[in-house]
């Protein structure tokens, strides 16, 4: 199949999922066209089956806001015609589903019918899309999609609760490619740069937005390091990062916390980690937790949104109510207390991640694509 994938090219989960999906589809022989405003961060190699088309938005002083949706829908129309693309798969409703719908309409005028699959990722529904300024357009473009998927049952339930949705929503969970996770974590010099042999390594990876509850990450770690030798690796960048650095200084733990910024070495960092913290206010899925588990790292998370669908309480880690940092720290210490308990949790984390193996999930998308193309 010839498929156009529209996504955000940044470090966010939706862009990562879209990119990994496109790359795997290409490996399976499909022709994939990524259409976005810059090359997706996880898209290293382009080849015969992987194309990238940049959406350019010319700056014009009249516009206070440059019209990205307009440029995107025009680009979609051009690329569909040029490459005979058969299906649009848009990730994140805003504004991609809206632009995709406009492209569909323009193409229809020229006698070209193309189905659109919209995948809802989370904040497009729970935070941004639900804002009254966006809600009518988001509702409209979801209802006008040929197929709507959501990355968890929790996100589906929220979407149906918050929006007047007429379409069926199919749950297709996010996935992980386990084969690529074999990192040579035994290279001693790398680990020793991060922590002393006796220190446990605790990691958090996110976009450092409010929803991630970054101060909770620091507070949990503060309690852990009072009991056992430990280091905290903070990976990613965003609006809450500076505040987090200040909090570490105030608590006197700055020398035990390393802030990395955005990194392309996520798997390597995770391969040295003993525990992952994700105390978010909400997560539709929690891809970062799955990536951690795929690298044998147990997860301490909140129990909100789709996290209970990913992290298994008492098995791959523990779940607690949002903000219950005392319980999260206690559970972290339960996991980290001795090597045999930790190793058990590490094994269970990997076992849990295996349920989300890309080889099980990808055929679900392929089936949806085929049906949508056949029905159009
Ligand atoms: O806040 C983020 O983590 C970024 C956001 C995004 O849109 O990329 O992530 C959302 O989509 C991910 C991929 O499906 C999910 O794993 C995240 O849980 C979800 N974030 C939230 O729901 C807050």
């Amino acid at each position: 199949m010839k498929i156009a994938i529209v996504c955000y090219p940044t470090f966010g989960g939706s862009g990562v999922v879209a990119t990994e999906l496109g790359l795997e589809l290409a490996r399976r022989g499909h022709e994939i066209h990524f259409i976005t405003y810059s090359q997706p961060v996880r898209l290293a190699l382009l080849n015969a089956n992987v194309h990238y088309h940049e959406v350019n938005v010319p700056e014009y002083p009249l516009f206070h806001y440059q019209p990205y949706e307009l440029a995107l829908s025009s680009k979609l129309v051009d690329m569909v015609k040029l490459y005979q693309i058969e299906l649009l798969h848009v990730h994140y409703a805003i504004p991609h589903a809206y632009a995709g719908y406009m492209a569909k309409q323009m193409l229809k005028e020229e006698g070209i019918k193309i189905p659109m699959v919209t995948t809802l990722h989370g904040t497009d529904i729970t935070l941004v899309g639900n804002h009254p300024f966006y809600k009518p357009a988001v509702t409209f473009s979801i209802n006008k999609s040929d197929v709507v998927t959501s990355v968890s049952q929790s996100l589906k339930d929220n979407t149906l609760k918050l929006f007047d949705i007429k379409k069926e929503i199919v749950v297709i969970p996010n996935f992980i490619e386990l084969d690529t996770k074999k990192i040579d974590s035994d290279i001693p010099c790398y680990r020793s740069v991060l922590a002393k042999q006796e220190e446990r390594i605790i990691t958090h990876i996110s976009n450092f937005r409010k929803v991630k509850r970054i101060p909770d990450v620091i507070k949990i770690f503060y309690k852990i390091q009072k009991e056992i030798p430990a280091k905290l690796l903070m990976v990613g960048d965003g609006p809450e990062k500076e505040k987090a650095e200040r909090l570490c200084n105030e608590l006197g733990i700055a020398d035990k916390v390393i802030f990395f910024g955005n990194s392309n070495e996520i798997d390597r960092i995770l391969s040295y980690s003993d525990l992952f913290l994700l105390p978010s206010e909400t997560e539709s899925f929690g891809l970062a937790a799955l990536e951690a588990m795929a690298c044998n790292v147990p997860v301490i998370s909140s129990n909100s949104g789709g996290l209970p669908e990913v992290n298994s309480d008492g098995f791959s880690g523990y779940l607690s109510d949002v903000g219950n940092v005392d319980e999260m720290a206690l559970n972290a210490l339960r996991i980290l207390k001795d090597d045999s308990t930790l190793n058990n949790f590490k094994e269970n984390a990997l076992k849990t991640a295996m349920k989300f193996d890309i080889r099980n999930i990808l055929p679900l998308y392929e089936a949806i694509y085929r049906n949508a193309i056949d029905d159009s």
Side-chain angles (χ1 to χ4, degrees), residues 12-15 17 92 121-123 126 151 174 207 211-212 282-287:
S14 64
V17 168
Y92 210 88
H121 278 276
T123 43
T126 50
V151 298
N174 287 333
N207 54 17
V211 69
K212 304 293 170 185
T282 184
E283 288 290 342
S284 68
F285 183 87
L287 184 66

